Amino acid sequence: MELGPIRLFLADVDGTLVTHEKLLTDASIDAVRRLRAQGILFAITSGRPPRGMAMLIEPLELDTPIAAFNGGLLVDRHMHTLEERVLPEPLVRPIAALIGSFGLDVWIYRGADWYVPDPNGAHVAREAWTVKFEPAVMAGLDGLTDSVAKLVGVSDDRQSVSQATAAVHERFGEHVTAAASQPYYLDVTHPDANKGVVAQNLARRYGLSVNEIATIGDMPNDVLMFAHSGLSIAMGNADPQVRRAARRTTDTNDHDGLAKAVERLILPRGG
């Protein structure tokens, strides 16, 4: 594919835009500022809920749609809903049961709320610190199966996460998107709530061709957007399959890999 000018840069957040400590560096802020100065749009997509990305809006001066829940919910900079895609209600219980059968904790994201079975469970404190709000504790799924934007399976056993992902694909693959957003998270969303659809949505909104879009990420759920961009970039800390799927690779998120990608790969193709 012949690459022309890049007009939009779509970035993952965790493991890509922010450091391991979830910090937005001055170099990244400056890189986005330089993109804007050259007339290149910048957008973000993440498995995070909308409130979990609110702290990025002002420093990055975001004015493009923000794709939360891997595209399950698109909001504007004022957190007003633009589009929403939720899991089919009859599938929520059986998917949660299947994930749980592999020993994963199951979290629910529903509207603006986040529910967990155990507030002291694996990664709950870390996630609360990342998204800047606390979860509600659920005793079960009663009353929580409608309007579910995302189910998350959580475990530090990477093999179990991988096996659960494969099982969800095998049993529910036509009805959901299931992919790892972190080595310890399995995200299950609406079939049209994935980062590939996010890239397609932004292309339609701004009248762009595939060749005019660049994407960057580090985890398997980011590969879904690579196919809808002319230039796909893997972070230096990326999962091996992500590096294989990308056209180019940059430095790690703890060494300003996104900013370096902007300098070396995006700005030279701007305009």
Side-chain angles (χ1 to χ4, degrees):
M1 182 175 2
E2 186 68 25
L3 287 178
I6 297 298
R7 294 179 55 198
L8 182 143
F9 190 28
L10 175 60
D12 168 55
V13 175
D14 296 292
T16 302
L17 176 62
V18 299
T19 68
H20 178 72
E21 293 302 320
K22 311 299 184 183
L23 300 176
L24 183 63
T25 67
D26 290 341
S28 292
I29 294 171
D30 183 64
V32 173
R33 186 179 299 119
R34 294 185 66 195
L35 289 172
R36 185 176 296 104
Q38 197 161 316
I40 300 170
L41 297 164
F42 179 75
I44 58 174
T45 180
S46 173
R48 292 188 186 194
R51 281 197 286 170
M53 291 187 280
M55 73 292 292
L56 302 172
I57 294 172
E58 290 302 326
L60 296 176
E61 300 179 35
L62 294 175
D63 54 10
T64 50
I66 297 162
F69 301 133
N70 302 320
L73 183 61
L74 267 64
V75 300
D76 64 19
R77 62 177 286 114
H78 305 293
M79 294 286 133
H80 298 147
T81 299
L82 301 174
E83 295 183 21
E84 185 176 23
R85 300 176 178 89
V86 298
L87 287 168
E89 184 173 2
L91 297 185
V92 171
R93 285 184 183 275
I95 292 172
L98 181 59
I99 293 172
S101 72
F102 288 89
L104 280 62
D105 292 339
V106 179
W107 298 351
I108 292 178
Y109 286 93
R110 181 174 176 267
D113 299 315
W114 164 35
Y115 298 88
V116 302
D118 179 4
N120 299 311
H123 296 282
V124 173
R126 174 75 169 178
E127 185 72 4
W129 179 79
T130 297
V131 301
K132 309 306 180 191
F133 69 94
E134 296 291 330
V137 178
M138 60 182 181
L141 298 181
D142 289 350
L144 300 177
T145 57
D146 66 309
S147 303
V148 174
K150 185 174 70 165
L151 286 172
V152 182
V154 183
S155 175
D156 284 317
D157 184 335
R158 296 190 181 196
Q159 184 176 3
S160 293
V161 173
S162 178
Q163 290 173 340
T165 303
V168 173
H169 271 301
E170 181 178 354
R171 184 169 170 188
F172 300 103
E174 295 182 0
H175 306 289
V176 302
T177 295
S181 60
Q182 296 291 335
Y184 40 82
Y185 288 161
L186 161 59
D187 288 359
V188 182
T189 55
H190 184 281
D192 291 334
N194 65 70
K195 294 182 179 181
V197 174
V198 172
Q200 292 176 301
N201 185 306
L202 291 171
R204 287 194 301 270
R205 282 177 180 269
Y206 295 106
L208 305 176
S209 69
V210 168
N211 288 4
E212 293 175 307
I213 298 174
T215 52
I216 187 168
D218 70 307
M219 287 299 295
N221 66 340
D222 297 316
V223 173
L224 297 170
M225 66 183 175
F226 286 179
H228 301 284
S229 60
L231 177 60
S232 52
I233 305 166
M235 297 296 294
N237 51 285
D239 184 273
Q241 76 176 82
V242 178
R243 292 198 296 271
R244 289 193 296 269
R247 293 184 63 130
R248 302 294 295 271
T249 300
T250 186
D251 210 334
T252 68
N253 62 324
D254 284 333
H255 291 91
D256 288 314
L258 181 139
K260 291 174 181 176
V262 168
E263 177 66 27
R264 299 170 184 173
L265 303 173
I266 307 299
L267 291 177
R269 297 185 183 277

